[in-house]
Amino acid sequence: MPRATHDTIGPEYARRWGARSDWAEALIGRLSGMLPAGARVVDVGCGPGQHTLMLRGCGLRTVGLDLSSGMLRALAVPGLVQADMRALPLGLGSLEAIWCC
């Protein structure tokens, strides 16, 4: 889908998919169990940021990245950054994990 489409559907996407989900909670719990407290994680393609919030809730220092400004604004999650996953604004060795869903 083009970025403009994602910008347009951001609020509806957040309404439909912004709630917690059992599968995501299980996988995020598993990931957080393998990392030290405060580990640095990036949520690539974070959309409105629902998984970013879940990762943070596990004590992980998480930043969410998405290309669509409409998605980033949909839930008003602080600390989300507009970025293209083909050219991540991250330094080598700056993370302990990547979450991409």
Side-chain angles (χ1 to χ4, degrees):
M1 254 187 255
R3 182 186 334 177
T5 301
H6 282 212
D7 288 345
T8 301
I9 68 168
E12 178 62 17
Y13 181 92
R15 188 185 67 72
R16 287 188 186 202
W17 303 105
R20 293 187 176 265
S21 60
D22 291 340
W23 68 267
E25 285 191 34
L27 289 175
I28 287 171
R30 185 172 174 196
L31 174 64
S32 68
M34 295 187 293
L35 298 170
R40 296 163 300 188
V41 178
V42 65
D43 180 1
V44 177
C46 69
Q50 70 273 27
H51 293 167
T52 304
L53 289 174
M54 293 168 69
L55 289 156
R56 290 175 183 168
C58 290
L60 303 171
R61 293 184 304 162
T62 308
V63 63
L65 305 176
D66 202 281
L67 187 59
S68 167
S69 61
M71 285 287 187
L72 295 171
R73 287 191 309 267
L75 291 178
V77 173
L80 302 183
V81 177
Q82 188 173 18
D84 188 329
M85 68 174 59
R86 296 170 296 179
L88 295 175
L90 303 166
L92 186 63
S94 64
L95 302 168
E96 279 77 40
I98 296 172
W99 175 264
C100 185
C101 225

